[in-house]
Amino acid sequence: MDYVMRAVRAEEWPLARQLRLDALKDPAAPVAFLETYEEAVVRTDAFWQDRTAAAAEGRTVRQFVAESPEGVWVGTVTVLVERTEDDVRFGEAPAVDQGHLVGVFVRPEARGTGVTDALFREAVDWAWSLSAPRLERVRLYVHENNPRAAAFYRRFGFVPSGQRIAAPGGRGEWELEYVIERGRGGGR
């Protein structure tokens, strides 16, 4: 695999925007993401600049990308740092300081090449590397109708926590929480 895994840089906001828009056009987008293409495409440049700058800074959020030798971004994952005293963004309030993986996307042509594994290793290793706060677990949510993603998460070392929340949209569907505890797979 010739891809480089790295954190985004603030000035790369147009690339971050385009990758997100491409992700939202993917056939799995309705069960993989909480926003639609129509919502994202109308966001201002300032929104994308702020979002990418925060992800590049890496204090409470860090976005990683997989970049081809030609400079094409073929995948991404973002880690949100969730502290016990923070407002709840999604799901249950954390009982411990934790990372929350969101925005997972790999372009179809790069799927099955190891890119997703490499992105997850980068993201989880970054989460474990933090000392302030020291994260005790990493979680993510997967829609009950996204078995392909759930299978990858289990293979990587995430396990179902037994927690679930109603999926947005009011259709009676569920988002299932998967976790990796510090020292129990998927990282150090």
Side-chain angles (χ1 to χ4, degrees):
M1 181 178 68
D2 293 333
Y3 298 99
V4 172
M5 308 302 139
R6 64 173 181 81
V8 297
R9 295 184 282 267
E11 67 274 9
E12 295 174 316
W13 69 268
L15 292 171
R17 177 186 186 273
Q18 188 58 56
L19 188 60
R20 179 64 173 183
L21 294 176
D22 291 348
L24 293 170
K25 288 191 257 181
D26 188 89
V31 296
F33 302 110
L34 298 180
E35 75 178 329
T36 66
Y37 176 85
E38 292 74 23
E39 292 166 337
V41 75
V42 297
R43 296 192 187 277
T44 66
D45 288 352
F47 169 86
W48 294 103
Q49 291 163 356
D50 291 346
R51 180 175 170 157
T52 308
E57 187 177 284
R59 287 193 184 159
T60 61
V61 60
R62 176 68 105 190
Q63 181 181 4
F64 295 94
V65 295
E67 185 175 44
S68 76
E70 299 78 31
V72 176
W73 287 10
V74 298
T76 185
V77 63
T78 298
V79 184
L80 305 175
V81 175
E82 296 178 325
R83 312 259 340 236
T84 57
E85 66 269 14
D86 289 347
D87 291 334
V88 177
R89 293 183 197 166
F90 187 75
E92 300 290 323
V96 296
D97 291 340
Q98 64 188 12
H100 186 159
L101 300 187
V102 299
V104 178
F105 175 69
V106 174
R107 293 185 186 281
E109 64 272 15
R111 294 175 187 161
T113 65
V115 166
T116 310
D117 285 281
L119 277 169
F120 267 59
R121 275 194 304 281
E122 195 77 18
V124 171
D125 285 350
W126 179 81
W128 295 151
S129 77
L130 296 177
S131 59
R134 183 177 192 271
L135 304 183
E136 297 302 324
R137 71 181 203 153
V138 175
R139 75 171 173 174
L140 55 80
Y141 282 89
V142 61
H143 193 281
E144 66 180 342
N145 294 329
N146 196 349
R148 182 172 179 232
F152 169 77
Y153 302 147
R154 284 191 305 274
R155 186 176 58 74
F156 188 83
F158 282 86
V159 295
S161 70
Q163 298 295 316
R164 67 181 190 167
I165 61 169
R171 296 185 303 266
E173 298 171 338
W174 297 98
E175 294 279 344
L176 311 174
E177 184 187 60
Y178 280 58
V179 300
I180 290 180
E181 304 286 337
R182 179 178 283 282
R184 295 198 180 142
R188 297 171 237 225

